[in-house]
Amino acid sequence: MEGRYNRNLGVLTADEQDALMQKSVCIIGCGGLGGGVIENLVRMGVGKLTVVDCDTFDVTNLNRQVLSNEGNIGNSKADEAAAQMKMINSEVDVTPIHTELTEENCRKIIADHDLVIDAVDNIKARLILEAGCEEEQIPLVHGAIGGWTGQVGVVRPKDRLIHKIYPEGEPDAEPDTSLGNPSFTASIISAIEAAESIKVLLDKDALYNKLLMVDLIEHSYEIIEF
C-alpha cells in the first residue's frame, strides 16, 4: 500500500525500511507483552513474524492484552494475532503456532529467524529461550512486567543475561500475579521491546547485556550493565 511507511521515514531511512521487510522475527507469547510487540512490528513493516502461544483468551486478559476482546474469549491467542494483524498489514506474513514452548521444540520453532522476542510470563520459559537462542546463534529481546514496574534487555548468544538476572533459575515457579499487570505497564514495556527489536534488526546500538529497569510510580529509568 503506497505511503504506508511514510511516517517511519526520518526515524528510518528508505533502505532501512526496505531491509525490515526482509527480516524474520519469532515472538514467544501473544499476551500483554506479546500482543503489543506484534502490533508494533507489523505496523513498522517487519516482513515475517512467527507468533507462538499455547493459550486461549479469557476474561482476565481484557484489562491489558490488546489482542483480546469480549468476542474472542476462548480463542487461540496465536491464531487471533495472525488474523488481526492481517487486517492491519497484509504485506506482513504472520504464522501462528499454537503450542507450548519446551526444551524439545524450542530450537525447531526459533530456527531461521533473525531475532527472537521473549514475551512470556515465567522464568522457566525464559531460560529455555535463552539456551535455544544461544544454540541457534540468534539474539533475544527480553521483557518482563510486574505491577508498576518492568524491564527490558537484549541478549546476544553467549551473553546469558537471563541467567544473570535469575541466577537461582526457579525453573518450576508459576507466574507471580500478586503485583498485578495493568495495561499501561504492558504497553510501555512492549513498546520498548519493539524499539529494541528494530534496533537489533538494523544493527543499531541496543541494550546488549544491559537491563533497563522502569518504575512508573517514581518515573525512574535505570540501566544496569552486566
Side-chain angles (χ1 to χ4, degrees), residues 156-170:
R156 290 170 298 205
K158 298 185 179 180
D159 277 349
R160 300 200 173 181
L161 178 64
I162 305 299
H163 283 76
K164 296 172 186 174
I165 299 170
Y166 306 108
E168 301 302 319
E170 300 182 50

Side-chain angles (χ1 to χ4, degrees), residues 83-99:
Q84 292 183 36
M85 293 308 106
K86 187 174 182 179
M87 293 187 289
I88 293 173
N89 191 344
S90 60
E91 297 174 359
V92 174
D93 177 15
V94 182
T95 301
I97 299 180
H98 184 77
T99 193

Side-chain angles (χ1 to χ4, degrees), residues 194-212:
E196 290 301 302
S197 299
I198 296 299
K199 289 193 282 185
V200 173
L201 292 172
L202 296 177
D203 295 320
K204 297 178 181 293
D205 188 29
L207 289 167
Y208 292 114
N209 213 25
K210 299 176 183 177
L211 191 66
L212 171 65

Side-chain angles (χ1 to χ4, degrees), residues 92-145:
V92 174
D93 177 15
V94 182
T95 301
I97 299 180
H98 184 77
T99 193
E100 181 180 8
L101 184 82
T102 65
E103 292 181 11
E104 290 72 28
N105 67 18
C106 180
R107 290 186 67 178
K108 182 178 180 180
I109 289 172
I110 67 175
D112 301 321
H113 290 86
D114 297 297
L115 177 67
V116 175
I117 298 176
D118 158 22
V120 301
D121 62 0
N122 65 89
I123 297 169
K124 180 179 180 180
R126 293 189 178 105
L127 293 170
I128 290 172
L129 262 184
E130 183 173 64
C133 286
E134 182 171 318
E135 292 169 342
E136 293 294 323
Q137 292 293 291
I138 303 171
L140 170 69
V141 174
H142 159 70
I145 60 173

